[in-house]
Amino acid sequence: TMQIKGSSVPDLKGSPMNVSVIINFKIVDPIRAAFAVDNVKYYIENQSLEVLRTACSRFNYKSAQDEPCLMTDSALIGHHMAGLLHERCLICGIEIQRMEIMEVSYHPEVAQSLLLVQQAQAKVDARKLIVKGCVEIVDGAIKNLNDKGY
């Protein structure tokens, strides 16, 4: 088992995120593992970072539609990453059994900017609600005046 902590990778939109994964692997050919690469764990770590960057850049952090995203579909994405890593590790006799996302979060600077956007959107939504209420009040008043013949 190997843990890759806090790797900085972009999502589909290019926003930087911190992603941590855990990898379960098995050495199935010790001779290839000893002679194909200098250091098996270092090789797996480097390859997993590349797979992490490649896979995460294909998905959004959050998705409004039914598209897979890093936030809610980590099992599906982890399975995809394990397959990619397994292909890269065959050369040195290593079988990748699992690769799971443990943590995924935006960088603090990006998260703060997104919070400002969410706050601004909430203000716009509140103002739309107020305007809609005012229009309904005026509409009701005009109907009452028309019903009374004014």
Side-chain angles (χ1 to χ4, degrees):
T1 300
M2 179 183 294
Q3 185 176 359
I4 308 296
K5 291 186 178 184
S7 179
S8 179
V9 297
D11 69 353
L12 184 64
K13 294 179 183 175
S15 301
M17 302 179 305
N18 290 323
V19 181
S20 297
V21 294
I22 194 157
I23 301 163
N24 295 330
F25 65 95
K26 181 173 150 182
I27 298 175
V28 292
D29 189 345
I31 294 171
R32 282 175 52 194
F35 293 110
V37 294
D38 288 335
N39 184 325
V40 171
K41 289 193 176 195
Y42 187 68
Y43 180 81
I44 294 172
E45 183 177 346
N46 285 335
Q47 295 303 313
S48 65
L49 289 171
E50 183 58 32
V51 164
L52 194 59
R53 281 186 199 94
T54 302
C56 288
S57 67
R58 293 180 183 167
F59 299 98
N60 282 318
Y61 175 74
K62 252 185 180 177
S63 179
Q65 295 85 14
D66 290 335
E67 299 171 357
C69 67
L70 294 165
M71 189 73 169
T72 58
D73 299 306
S74 61
L76 173 73
I77 296 167
H79 182 70
H80 173 70
M81 288 190 300
L84 292 173
L85 185 58
H86 180 72
E87 289 175 21
R88 291 172 177 240
C89 291
L90 286 175
I91 191 171
C92 58
I94 296 171
E95 176 184 308
I96 302 299
Q97 297 170 329
R98 297 177 84 172
M99 185 172 183
E100 296 180 4
I101 296 175
M102 291 181 359
E103 173 202 7
V104 58
S105 62
Y106 279 120
H107 278 234
E109 307 84 34
V110 174
Q112 189 169 5
S113 297
L114 289 174
L115 182 60
L116 292 174
V117 170
Q118 287 174 344
Q119 289 172 341
Q121 186 61 48
K123 286 181 182 179
V124 168
D125 292 343
R127 289 179 180 145
K128 284 181 181 177
L129 184 63
I130 290 170
V131 169
K132 182 179 177 185
C134 291
V135 168
E136 288 175 1
I137 290 171
V138 170
D139 188 46
I142 291 173
K143 277 185 180 180
N144 283 339
L145 289 172
N146 284 339
D147 290 344
K148 293 182 180 186
Y150 294 116

